[in-house]
Amino acid sequence: MIRKLVFWLVLVPLAIVILMFATANREVVTVSFDPFAPHAPAASVSVPLFVLIFVLVILGVIIGGIAAWLRQGKHRRAARLHHSHVVALKREVENLN
């Protein structure tokens, strides 16, 4: 029930806003990767503006996810250590019983 509610109240309006954004920003822009020749770049690509923005947002989410994953490494390591201690203690309790 909650999943359907979230779908209709959040995801459908968000999809509508994204579609409106994409149709409003269809102009083709040139992305240049050559800072030394701005008028005749050696490496450039022409894409619609909304594609560029979507790609950059997705790239930002991926980079943020990787950064969060790397920062949580010490917590995952501690969880593995505690899990191995729990397993050892359970084995010891079973041997005592």
Side-chain angles (χ1 to χ4, degrees), residues 8 10 25 27 35-37 39 45 50 61 63 76 86 94:
W8 287 108
V10 177
N25 293 292
E27 296 85 18
F36 301 112
H39 300 293
V45 87
F50 74 92
V61 168
I63 290 171
R76 288 192 307 275
V86 167
E94 288 175 4

Side-chain angles (χ1 to χ4, degrees), residues 5-87:
L5 185 67
V6 168
F7 177 78
W8 287 108
L9 290 178
V10 177
L11 295 179
V12 170
L14 183 63
I16 292 169
V17 168
I18 289 172
L19 287 173
M20 288 172 34
F21 174 79
T23 56
N25 293 292
R26 292 178 295 182
E27 296 85 18
V28 176
V29 294
T30 302
V31 180
S32 173
F33 299 103
D34 188 3
F36 301 112
H39 300 293
S44 67
V45 87
S46 295
V47 294
L49 181 60
F50 74 92
V51 172
L52 176 65
I53 292 174
F54 288 164
V55 167
L56 291 176
V57 167
I58 290 169
L59 192 64
V61 168
I62 291 171
I63 290 171
I66 290 171
W69 183 77
L70 290 174
R71 290 186 70 197
Q72 294 171 356
K74 60 184 174 185
H75 300 294
R76 288 192 307 275
R77 191 175 315 113
R80 281 193 305 269
L81 179 65
H82 292 312
H83 179 70
S84 64
H85 285 197
V86 167
V87 169

